[in-house]
Amino acid sequence: MVLKNRTIKKRSSKAGLPPGTLVHVGEKKANNIRITYLDYDEQNFEEKSFAKIEECFPFKTTPTVSWINIDGLHDVEVVEKLGKEFELHPLIMEDILNTGQRPKLEDFDKYIFIVLKMLSYDGEKESIEAEQVSFVLGKNFVISFQERIGDTFEQIRDRIRNAKGRIRKMGPDYLAYALIDAIVDNYFVILERLGEKIESMEEEVIGDPTEKTVQQIHSLKRQMISLRKSIWPLRELIGGIRKSESSLINETTDFYLRDVYDHTIQIIDTIDSFRDMVSGLLDIYLSNISNKMNSVMKVLTIIATLFIPLTFVAGIYGMNFEYMPELKVRWAYGAVWLIMITIAVIMLFYFRRKKWL
Amino acid sequence: MVLKNRTIKKRSSKAGLPPGTLVHVGEKKANNIRITYLDYDEQNFEEKSFAKIEECFPFKTTPTVSWINIDGLHDVEVVEKLGKEFELHPLIMEDILNTGQRPKLEDFDKYIFIVLKMLSYDGEKESIEAEQVSFVLGKNFVISFQERIGDTFEQIRDRIRNAKGRIRKMGPDYLAYALIDAIVDNYFVILERLGEKIESMEEEVIGDPTEKTVQQIHSLKRQMISLRKSIWPLRELIGGIRKSESSLINETTDFYLRDVYDHTIQIIDTIDSFRDMVSGLLDIYLSNISNKMNSVMKVLTIIATLFIPLTFVAGIYGMNFEYMPELKVRWAYGAVWLIMITIAVIMLFYFRRKKWL
Amino acid sequence: MVLKNRTIKKRSSKAGLPPGTLVHVGEKKANNIRITYLDYDEQNFEEKSFAKIEECFPFKTTPTVSWINIDGLHDVEVVEKLGKEFELHPLIMEDILNTGQRPKLEDFDKYIFIVLKMLSYDGEKESIEAEQVSFVLGKNFVISFQERIGDTFEQIRDRIRNAKGRIRKMGPDYLAYALIDAIVDNYFVILERLGEKIESMEEEVIGDPTEKTVQQIHSLKRQMISLRKSIWPLRELIGGIRKSESSLINETTDFYLRDVYDHTIQIIDTIDSFRDMVSGLLDIYLSNISNKMNSVMKVLTIIATLFIPLTFVAGIYGMNFEYMPELKVRWAYGAVWLIMITIAVIMLFYFRRKKWL
Amino acid sequence: MVLKNRTIKKRSSKAGLPPGTLVHVGEKKANNIRITYLDYDEQNFEEKSFAKIEECFPFKTTPTVSWINIDGLHDVEVVEKLGKEFELHPLIMEDILNTGQRPKLEDFDKYIFIVLKMLSYDGEKESIEAEQVSFVLGKNFVISFQERIGDTFEQIRDRIRNAKGRIRKMGPDYLAYALIDAIVDNYFVILERLGEKIESMEEEVIGDPTEKTVQQIHSLKRQMISLRKSIWPLRELIGGIRKSESSLINETTDFYLRDVYDHTIQIIDTIDSFRDMVSGLLDIYLSNISNKMNSVMKVLTIIATLFIPLTFVAGIYGMNFEYMPELKVRWAYGAVWLIMITIAVIMLFYFRRKKWL
Amino acid sequence: MVLKNRTIKKRSSKAGLPPGTLVHVGEKKANNIRITYLDYDEQNFEEKSFAKIEECFPFKTTPTVSWINIDGLHDVEVVEKLGKEFELHPLIMEDILNTGQRPKLEDFDKYIFIVLKMLSYDGEKESIEAEQVSFVLGKNFVISFQERIGDTFEQIRDRIRNAKGRIRKMGPDYLAYALIDAIVDNYFVILERLGEKIESMEEEVIGDPTEKTVQQIHSLKRQMISLRKSIWPLRELIGGIRKSESSLINETTDFYLRDVYDHTIQIIDTIDSFRDMVSGLLDIYLSNISNKMNSVMKVLTIIATLFIPLTFVAGIYGMNFEYMPELKVRWAYGAVWLIMITIAVIMLFYFRRKKWL
């Protein structure tokens, strides 16, 4: 929800500006912009960190695969300069800076632009945090933009550094795939957390539901809705890369994309069945409340129907009429007790037959 | 709802008239018709205001981009004259005047006709007001029709006046795009308001729901339904412009339209998840009522089951039988008190075990 | 519902007959068959009424536009003769006579066959009455079949008589369009009525719901379902005419059909949002019942928990034990009152804190 | 349900057998297999009944239309011999014998294979009975397989015998159409029954619902589900015949198929609206229960809140304190009555204002 | 559920590894890997069991059909060696080892890769166990991978051994079909179990629902959800094989695949109607609770409204006023009894009219 409204606020605050105006829309999540640079081919490997964006421009034309990663988007100028140098369309740069994008793919002839959501689970707040990651995939480079320092790409960097797997032998399209794959793989971690939460919620609902339970179920539902919204467009996106027939995507990479595509569908499937489960939780909760009410009612009814008639009998012989012959009879008191006990026993039998006891 | 039925009334009052009959169907929202005129190319810029529609006819053939804006639709004659001069199809003119249109696009060879809904949020009435805006996009002109004075286009006029952005360098298709973009951007403002309303409603539902809450939730739901109805066709509409292959739409503009298209999808997504949330609110509300009933029942049951047996005991010794041996025993009164307290304590233990206390 | 089952009964009573057998299936809604005839082109106009169907056969070959209208379907022979003369397919004639058709379009080479439902709102019974109208559109004629006298076409006849609008200048396809348009326009009248009914029902539900309210909501829902069933196929039907590429449909008429198509979508949209509203009504109604139950429970609980303990206290001192020291104390009676008032005040405070008062 | 599970049991009992193994899966519904034979063209007609399947083999090559009908499927050998003679694919023969098929169409070059469900309403058990009917449509023959003797085809036989309608003039494709049409027409009879049942259930729900009502609604719902499952594939099936471009289907027959197709859609539409109605019934039922509970609660509350305070007052003056000045006052008894009546009147006013009375 | 989350855990534990890394993800369900080998053509048949995977490599090039079956996936090396020998894509081998796959089909030129779920019903735990089965279909071999020893293929082995049916005459594509068919046929067994469970649950819900019932309904629902998730992709998968135009699939086999396809649709249909039934169960359960509450309330109300007024009357004459003339009247006591009985009778009549008795 937080994520949701923030997105809209961001956009609504921009309403009316000419399209293509570069403004960073979103929270400032990093203090400094960090520019890192990885350059590799099968034999060579180089890793650098820059203070100024201009320093990485010379690498633009090298035949090796270059991966420029920018952490932090609040310095509009950096993005602008980079965009000019790499001839990015102004609306692309606007999209990079506006962190309220829907995941999407745009295929230009010279480069492919991809926007994704990187999710992380904040254990303390019990909420899912989303960070926008954009990729520009060019002929021999990948530029990635992140909102803050820290990502799920460390293992990819390791693979490049140590020439693990086939990444060093492949082109920038494989790198882009690897980055997307890392993000999608990370969704499984989020799903696992949600799955655990649903299971613990389930035990709570069955065992000992409190008045807060509905709200928690509701909040789980909302997390599912916003998660689905972040992931659903991915399916189309990856399908789009595969269908794009862009010269930037190698045929061998296509097979790997198919793999990510399968994972995306699996994730969406899982979210959908999670939603069904959460809806089921609400049903259990509501029928639990009904059951409790029912058992409260039964106790009340048993006590009341047991004692009200008896109290009436006692009331009768508490009357002060002068002429009440029973009052004088010696065994009358005992008889009244007998009558009362009989009534009570009949009642109890009745309750047992009705299965209230 | 108001919007809804009004639309139908409008239409139903026209039932049977020959198609193409020009009648203004809708409320008269403006006293005077205001005709304004903007003419520009990269170098030149001219802005005028007319009393008579005929005064702007000479500009029809100028090679510059002309934007004729008409505020107020109740003067049928103005639209009629304009329609004849610009050779608009009679049904188009009927659509302009009939403010109960569904957003739509009609592609003629010489011009493209677009109907949209401009929304504004009336803070006082807490309702969304809709105004119909129609565009006719020709080879070198855009004519816009609005129901009343006042719109979200002021920033576009500023951009044209001050040659900000690329608007002065582009043709009328870019102008049409900018107008649509302004309307769509404004939807985000409406969504933000609705989001705030949902959040405050959520706090109310969890914290202190009153009997009015359901009605408010219901009215929110209806706003969402009518909002969705206004915006949903937009998706198809903008998709339609992009696919139209009309010679009136420049290729460069297409990219911008893709942007608006993305925003439209984002808005529809948001409305859908708002709907889910509002449905969730109702669930919370209903389970809150159940919970309250439950707690009311518990109090009743505790009091009743605690005192009804005790009252019975008191009733027993209030009987006036002559022969009741207990009454003569000195410590009997104390004993009865003891029995009563024991019963009460057992009851309280039972309630605690049942977690009612 | 009535409409619904009647339709099925009609069909089921025909089960087993060889296809193409001409039997009038449906209620006899008119006493006499009325055959009227309008013949026109731009210059000439002729209007006649016939006793025998054969009298209109000579007009079959005239180059002018001929509109033959038949009110009343119970005389199978009339339809049979007409069908033979105009070479209609036997199944078409069967469809005309069987008033339980779904709206549909069938494109033969020589003519187009259209079945529609004309709806009217019966204010007394508060129900929607449906009448089947069939059209056969040929090269220079339109034949229309109605179940009973009285229709929504009077304004079209006036337009033809008085040469209003463009109808006299256009061919039979425009006439067919005008007839369909009149029927569709009339749906808006029905929708307006339903809208009013929903609004008044809404006030009733919020203000003063009775036990009948659910049934009324349910009946509204059913009207909506059957309305949707009558109108939904229209969309496909009109889309079908437009796509048919039949030589019988002029290109200029196509634009008008687009207009009817838009209206149909608008009507379906409206019915859908009406359905949502009616569902919403049920939610409000149910939560109203819950709220009432809750308030009834509260009153009971307040009274019972207030007086049951007090009655117990009174019961204690109504006991007849010989040794009850309090009874002898002079100020005891006052003290008991004091205790009782204290208990009551505490209870009331408790209720106020629980917000039951 | 019965039908449902039986189907699965049938299949599951066959799990593991090699495909194409001929086993009759299903109940044995007939004692004897009955083989009947109709052979006709426009001039000639012949009808026979055989003891052995081989007797009808000679008719295979006659140019006339041959309709071989087999009632009873438990004699696997008969189907096997027939299949070999007519060169049917082994899986087709398996499908004929396995009565748990989904309605389907399979187009071979030499013949078309169709499986349908013939439904009948068992008034006593109030359930819908399904029987599987398979057709093999060849160049000059139709072979039909039924589970038991007795069908809805008698009228078709009459038409052939008496040369009624156009059936004798047409080929085997028309015969196949007529058989399908007879089955589909019979569905309307079933729908009529269901419609009546829904209406009577509706009256029961509104008037005098019992605890069994939910179960009956539930069973209605299940009948609807299984009915829909039997009929839904028909739509596709008939659409499939029409699209098949098989040389076995004549162009003239296509028009008749269109008619059956329309009926199928109408049936599905009707089932769907029946489902909506049945769901509505449940809503009414549940709100009826709530209303009743509410009225029970009101009676309890009125009585309790009326008498509990009065009983308390009576309790006060039933106390045995020695010093209770009121007891000595002469008019006190009357005053207490007055107070009690006043309290009761106030209470009654309060209830009336709350609209509980 | 168990299955569900396990799957995600498996994946999430792999997040970040380079794609194509061979790790067995899933439970180790077998102690030893068992490699069995069947080689056959129409004349010859050979069956072996190997200790080492390398032993079966020589059979790779024989022209006969070879079926290599591997039970147990925990020995990554075996799969790796096999993969290298048969030139399988690394991602394929990863998919084989990762038992959390969604059923899918991948068509390479040289082989087709198929992943399926083999289900079995664990009667004790009342849960459905899933095992992943993968097939690699090559030009003259089928390799199958299973998680544990024991499968539903025994009957296929028998058919091969004894040359039953047409399996020995057909190629590896028919073998693959037979294996898929065996798995799908086994789903019917699972469905039968679920159907029985639903029926017994139904009886429980109608007859004697306990508080555990909702949970059981909920767990049934979840089983249905996860079952649907396992089976749903099958439809697409088998459709995919049929559309693949792979040279590995013979035309004759296509017909058999159509058969499996039909079964798959039938299974999905059945699961869908099972879901509807289970939802219906919840409705019955909830309305049962409501009904019970209602009857509890009625008993309470009857007793309370019957005795509370009577107790009040008794209370009146229990008051100790000195001047209460009634108390002195001889017949007063009898009269009070009469009044009480009259009140009770009136009450009982009232209850009967309200149909509470």
Side-chain angles (χ1 to χ4, degrees), chain A residues 28-43:
Chain A
K28 191 182 161 185
K29 292 183 179 161
N31 285 322
N32 300 306
I33 285 194
R34 196 181 68 172
I35 302 161
T36 54
Y37 173 86
L38 256 88
D39 187 279
Y40 63 88
D41 61 10
E42 206 168 345
Q43 278 75 38

Side-chain angles (χ1 to χ4, degrees), chain D residues 93-210:
Chain D
M93 292 191 290
E94 196 191 339
D95 283 350
I96 290 167
L97 288 168
N98 184 336
T99 59
Q101 295 300 315
R102 205 175 173 261
K104 68 174 173 180
L105 166 96
E106 309 229 325
D107 182 9
F108 294 76
D109 277 347
K110 289 205 229 147
Y111 53 89
I112 290 177
F113 175 63
I114 296 165
V115 183
L116 285 176
K117 295 286 172 192
M118 184 147 71
L119 302 178
S120 57
Y121 190 83
D122 185 329
E124 252 175 82
K125 296 194 218 155
E126 298 212 329
S127 67
I128 297 163
E129 298 294 311
E131 180 186 349
Q132 176 164 316
V133 181
S134 323
F135 301 110
V136 176
L137 165 62
K139 213 187 158 181
N140 53 357
F141 62 87
V142 170
I143 313 174
S144 57
F145 301 86
Q146 305 183 43
E147 285 185 69
R148 83 191 107 193
I149 294 166
D151 52 36
T152 58
F153 300 153
E154 212 44 54
Q155 282 180 304
I156 295 172
R157 287 193 194 94
D158 275 348
R159 274 195 261 152
I160 296 175
R161 285 177 199 130
N162 308 325
K164 261 196 285 186
R166 65 181 66 73
I167 196 160
R168 286 272 287 272
K169 296 170 202 149
M170 313 281 283
D173 55 337
Y174 187 87
L175 175 59
Y177 147 72
L179 295 171
I180 296 172
D181 190 50
I183 288 174
V184 170
D185 265 8
N186 197 47
Y187 290 164
F188 283 101
V189 182
I190 306 287
L191 285 185
E192 191 184 347
R193 289 283 148 77
L194 278 177
E196 282 162 10
K197 234 173 139 182
I198 291 174
E199 289 213 333
S200 79
M201 192 66 84
E202 200 159 34
E203 279 165 34
E204 194 182 316
V205 163
I206 290 172
D208 185 22
T210 67

Side-chain angles (χ1 to χ4, degrees), chain B residues 1-2 4-5 7-9 11-20 89-92 94-95 98 100-102 104-108 208 210-211 214-215 218 221-222 225 229 233 275 282 285-286 288-290 292-297 299-300 303-304 307-308 310-311 313-321 324 326-333 336-337 340, chain C residues 152 155-156 159 164-166 174 177-178 181-182 185-189 191-192 195-196 198-199 202 206 252 255-256 258-259 262-263 265-266 269-270 272-274 276-281 283-284 286-288 290-295 297-298 300-301 304-306 308-309 311-312 315-326 347 350-351 354-356:
Chain B
M1 178 76 178
V2 175
K4 181 89 268 355
N5 279 358
T7 310
I8 304 160
K9 263 175 214 156
R11 282 232 55 94
S12 72
S13 71
K14 248 200 93 176
L17 288 186
H89 192 285
L91 278 179
I92 286 295
E94 197 191 336
D95 282 351
N98 184 336
Q101 294 300 314
R102 205 174 172 262
K104 68 173 174 180
L105 167 96
E106 309 229 326
D107 182 8
F108 293 76
D208 185 22
T210 66
E211 294 195 13
V214 210
Q215 291 159 42
H218 187 59
K221 219 173 177 174
R222 284 211 313 207
I225 291 171
K229 262 185 64 182
R275 283 179 84 178
L282 203 70
Y285 176 75
L286 288 173
N288 257 9
I289 295 183
S290 289
K292 280 191 174 168
M293 197 113 110
N294 213 356
S295 80
V296 169
M297 289 300 301
V299 169
L300 175 61
I303 296 290
F307 286 101
I308 285 178
L310 305 185
T311 305
V313 172
I316 288 289
Y317 296 104
M319 292 194 293
N320 298 320
F321 287 104
M324 283 178 74
E326 300 99 311
L327 295 182
K328 270 90 195 179
V329 181
R330 225 202 132 100
W331 45 264
Y333 179 52
V336 163
W337 264 118
M340 284 176 175
Chain C
T152 58
Q155 282 179 304
I156 295 171
R159 273 194 262 153
K164 263 197 285 190
R166 64 182 66 74
Y174 187 86
Y177 148 71
D181 189 50
D185 265 8
N186 197 47
Y187 291 163
F188 283 102
V189 182
L191 285 185
E192 191 185 345
E196 282 163 10
I198 291 174
E199 289 213 333
E202 200 160 32
I206 291 172
T252 31
F255 188 78
Y256 293 95
R258 192 158 23 160
D259 205 52
D262 284 350
H263 292 171
I265 291 178
Q266 209 175 335
D269 273 15
T270 306
D272 284 350
S273 55
F274 276 9
D276 280 351
M277 282 177 204
V278 170
S279 300
L281 286 185
D283 286 344
I284 298 186
L286 288 174
S287 80
N288 257 10
S290 289
N291 270 321
K292 279 193 175 167
M293 197 113 110
N294 214 355
S295 80
M297 291 299 302
K298 275 184 197 164
L300 176 61
T301 306
T305 53
L306 207 60
I308 287 178
T311 304
F312 164 68
I316 288 290
Y317 294 106
M319 291 194 294
N320 299 319
F321 286 105
E322 279 192 359
Y323 184 74
M324 283 178 74
E326 300 98 310
M347 285 285 180
Y350 175 78
F351 296 150
K354 284 253 175 183
K355 292 198 179 144
W356 295 358

Side-chain angles (χ1 to χ4, degrees), chain C residues 66-324:
Chain C
S66 308
W67 173 17
I68 301 166
N69 181 53
I70 289 149
D71 293 319
L73 299 175
H74 52 281
D75 192 349
V76 172
E77 217 183 322
V78 168
V79 177
E80 205 164 10
K81 281 180 192 161
L82 197 76
K84 268 186 196 152
E85 178 68 21
F86 285 85
E87 290 162 54
L88 304 181
H89 193 285
L91 278 178
I92 287 295
M93 293 192 289
E94 197 190 337
D95 283 350
I96 290 167
L97 289 169
N98 184 335
T99 59
Q101 295 300 315
R102 205 173 171 262
K104 68 173 173 180
L105 167 96
E106 309 228 327
D107 183 8
F108 293 76
D109 278 347
K110 290 205 228 147
Y111 53 90
I112 290 177
F113 175 63
I114 297 166
V115 183
L116 285 176
K117 295 285 172 192
M118 183 146 71
L119 301 178
S120 57
Y121 190 83
D122 186 329
E124 251 175 82
K125 295 194 219 155
E126 297 213 330
S127 67
I128 297 163
E129 299 293 311
E131 181 186 348
Q132 175 164 315
V133 182
S134 323
F135 301 111
V136 176
L137 165 62
K139 213 189 160 179
N140 53 357
F141 62 87
V142 169
I143 313 175
S144 57
F145 299 87
Q146 303 184 44
E147 285 185 69
R148 82 191 108 194
I149 294 167
D151 53 35
T152 58
F153 301 152
E154 212 43 55
Q155 282 179 304
I156 295 171
R157 287 193 194 93
D158 274 349
R159 273 194 262 153
I160 297 174
R161 285 178 198 129
N162 307 324
K164 263 197 285 190
R166 64 182 66 74
I167 196 159
R168 286 273 285 272
K169 295 170 203 148
M170 312 282 282
D173 56 337
Y174 187 86
L175 174 60
Y177 148 71
L179 295 171
I180 295 171
D181 189 50
I183 288 173
V184 170
D185 265 8
N186 197 47
Y187 291 163
F188 283 102
V189 182
I190 306 287
L191 285 185
E192 191 185 345
R193 288 284 147 76
L194 278 178
E196 282 163 10
K197 234 173 139 183
I198 291 174
E199 289 213 333
S200 80
M201 192 66 82
E202 200 160 32
E203 279 165 35
E204 194 182 314
V205 162
I206 291 172
D208 185 22
T210 65
E211 293 194 14
K212 285 225 160 168
T213 311
V214 211
Q215 291 161 40
Q216 283 171 319
I217 292 173
H218 186 58
S219 114
L220 252 179
K221 220 173 178 174
R222 283 211 314 204
Q223 283 184 351
M224 232 77 88
I225 291 171
S226 80
L227 195 63
R228 201 174 194 281
K229 263 185 64 183
S230 300
I231 295 173
W232 180 253
L234 253 180
R235 188 188 163 137
E236 204 181 330
L237 191 160
I238 296 170
I241 308 182
R242 292 186 56 202
K243 267 180 249 148
S244 70
E245 298 185 10
S246 164
S247 63
L248 295 167
I249 306 288
N250 226 303
E251 252 181 71
T252 31
T253 306
D254 179 68
F255 188 78
Y256 293 95
L257 286 170
R258 192 158 23 160
D259 205 52
V260 191
Y261 188 74
D262 284 350
H263 292 171
T264 311
I265 291 178
Q266 209 175 335
I267 289 167
I268 291 167
D269 273 15
T270 306
I271 294 174
D272 284 350
S273 55
F274 276 9
R275 282 178 84 177
D276 280 351
M277 282 177 204
V278 170
S279 300
L281 286 185
L282 205 69
D283 286 344
I284 298 186
Y285 176 75
L286 288 174
S287 80
N288 257 10
I289 295 183
S290 289
N291 270 321
K292 279 193 175 167
M293 197 113 110
N294 214 355
S295 80
V296 169
M297 291 299 302
K298 275 184 197 164
V299 168
L300 176 61
T301 306
I302 290 168
I303 295 290
T305 53
L306 207 60
F307 285 101
I308 287 178
L310 305 185
T311 304
F312 164 68
V313 172
I316 288 290
Y317 294 106
M319 291 194 294
N320 299 319
F321 286 105
E322 279 192 359
Y323 184 74
M324 283 178 74

Side-chain angles (χ1 to χ4, degrees), chain D residues 54-317:
Chain D
E54 287 85 356
E55 297 179 47
C56 69
F57 290 171
F59 302 96
K60 188 189 155 191
T61 45
T62 54
T64 49
V65 179
S66 308
W67 173 19
I68 301 166
N69 182 52
I70 289 150
D71 294 317
L73 300 175
H74 52 280
D75 191 348
V76 172
E77 216 182 322
V78 167
V79 178
E80 205 164 10
K81 281 180 192 161
L82 197 76
K84 266 184 198 153
E85 179 68 21
F86 285 85
E87 290 162 53
L88 304 181
H89 193 285
L91 278 178
I92 285 297
M93 292 191 290
E94 196 191 339
D95 283 350
I96 290 167
L97 288 168
N98 184 336
T99 59
Q101 295 300 315
R102 205 175 173 261
K104 68 174 173 180
L105 166 96
E106 309 229 325
D107 182 9
F108 294 76
D109 277 347
K110 289 205 229 147
Y111 53 89
I112 290 177
F113 175 63
I114 296 165
V115 183
L116 285 176
K117 295 286 172 192
M118 184 147 71
L119 302 178
S120 57
Y121 190 83
D122 185 329
E124 252 175 82
K125 296 194 218 155
E126 298 212 329
S127 67
I128 297 163
E129 298 294 311
E131 180 186 349
Q132 176 164 316
V133 181
S134 323
F135 301 110
V136 176
L137 165 62
K139 213 187 158 181
N140 53 357
F141 62 87
V142 170
I143 313 174
S144 57
F145 301 86
Q146 305 183 43
E147 285 185 69
R148 83 191 107 193
I149 294 166
D151 52 36
T152 58
F153 300 153
E154 212 44 54
Q155 282 180 304
I156 295 172
R157 287 193 194 94
D158 275 348
R159 274 195 261 152
I160 296 175
R161 285 177 199 130
N162 308 325
K164 261 196 285 186
R166 65 181 66 73
I167 196 160
R168 286 272 287 272
K169 296 170 202 149
M170 313 281 283
D173 55 337
Y174 187 87
L175 175 59
Y177 147 72
L179 295 171
I180 296 172
D181 190 50
I183 288 174
V184 170
D185 265 8
N186 197 47
Y187 290 164
F188 283 101
V189 182
I190 306 287
L191 285 185
E192 191 184 347
R193 289 283 148 77
L194 278 177
E196 282 162 10
K197 234 173 139 182
I198 291 174
E199 289 213 333
S200 79
M201 192 66 84
E202 200 159 34
E203 279 165 34
E204 194 182 316
V205 163
I206 290 172
D208 185 22
T210 67
E211 293 195 14
K212 284 224 160 169
T213 310
V214 211
Q215 291 161 42
Q216 283 171 319
I217 292 173
H218 187 58
S219 115
L220 253 180
K221 220 173 177 174
R222 283 210 315 206
Q223 282 185 351
M224 232 78 88
I225 291 171
S226 80
L227 195 63
R228 200 174 195 282
K229 261 185 65 183
S230 300
I231 296 173
W232 180 254
L234 252 181
R235 188 189 161 136
E236 206 181 329
L237 191 159
I238 296 171
I241 307 181
R242 292 187 55 200
K243 267 181 247 147
S244 69
E245 299 184 10
S246 164
S247 64
L248 294 168
I249 306 288
N250 227 301
E251 251 179 73
T252 32
T253 307
D254 178 68
F255 188 79
Y256 293 95
L257 287 169
R258 190 158 23 159
D259 204 53
V260 192
Y261 188 74
D262 284 350
H263 293 170
T264 312
I265 291 179
Q266 209 175 336
I267 289 166
I268 292 168
D269 272 15
T270 305
I271 294 174
D272 283 350
S273 55
F274 276 7
R275 282 179 84 176
D276 280 351
M277 282 177 205
V278 171
S279 299
L281 286 185
L282 205 69
D283 286 343
I284 298 186
Y285 177 75
L286 289 174
S287 80
N288 257 10
I289 296 183
S290 291
N291 270 322
K292 279 192 176 168
M293 198 114 111
N294 213 354
S295 80
V296 169
M297 290 299 301
K298 274 184 198 163
V299 168
L300 175 61
T301 307
I302 289 168
I303 296 290
T305 54
L306 207 61
F307 286 102
I308 287 179
L310 305 185
T311 305
F312 164 67
V313 172
I316 288 290
Y317 295 105

